[in-house]
Amino acid sequence: MWNPSRKIRIIASRMLTVLFSLTMIFHVVALFQIIPYQYLWGGRLSSLEEMYVMETVSLLVNGFFLWSSIRYLQYINQGLVPIWIRLVFSFIGFIFLLNTIGNLVAFTNLETLLATPVTAFLSVISFSLVPKYENKTS
């Protein structure tokens, strides 16, 4: 089984930190209606109110993902990544895997073409943080 090195895990968690930060900015932009809600959520939103609910939930969830990425970096720097944070990244990876499938069947080409590779990438990176890590030299 693939067990990424400490360096790979640090790079992956930093990438997730940046990507989740950018995703949160995207959701804020969506909340301010700079992006029409018809282009969000695979074109399945039917009202502005629905968009506010979904984007607020997305912002909160991505905030949790961002917090998890920061915690992972803190743990890896201490030399031991506990199982609970690895389980969180299993969950995050699975969520992004499902999201990738959802993006493939989106009603809008924009979501299919832009979001699918991003969510697939996020899923792979998240799953790379799951294997057990223990720094034997600490």
Side-chain angles (χ1 to χ4, degrees), residues 27 41 45 49-59:
H27 288 297
W41 289 90
L45 297 177
E49 292 76 24
E50 192 176 11
M51 182 274 295
Y52 283 126
V53 170
M54 297 303 284
E55 288 301 316
T56 300
V57 169
S58 292
L59 200 54

Side-chain angles (χ1 to χ4, degrees), residues 50-127:
E50 192 176 11
M51 182 274 295
Y52 283 126
V53 170
M54 297 303 284
E55 288 301 316
T56 300
V57 169
S58 292
L59 200 54
L60 292 171
V61 168
N62 276 281
F64 173 72
F65 292 168
L66 176 61
W67 175 83
S68 299
S69 299
I70 292 167
R71 292 295 296 157
Y72 195 98
L73 273 170
Q74 292 170 338
Y75 282 122
I76 197 108
N77 287 329
Q78 294 172 1
L80 177 65
V81 179
I83 192 162
W84 75 267
I85 195 82
R86 294 182 5 234
L87 289 173
V88 166
F89 278 97
S90 295
F91 172 74
I92 292 171
F94 184 70
I95 291 296
F96 281 113
L97 180 62
L98 290 177
N99 197 268
T100 301
I101 294 165
N103 289 334
L104 288 171
V105 297
F107 293 150
T108 62
N109 287 335
L110 181 67
E111 186 138 5
T112 301
L113 296 174
L114 292 179
T116 300
V118 172
T119 56
F121 184 67
L122 288 168
S123 180
V124 169
I125 293 175
S126 296
F127 282 130

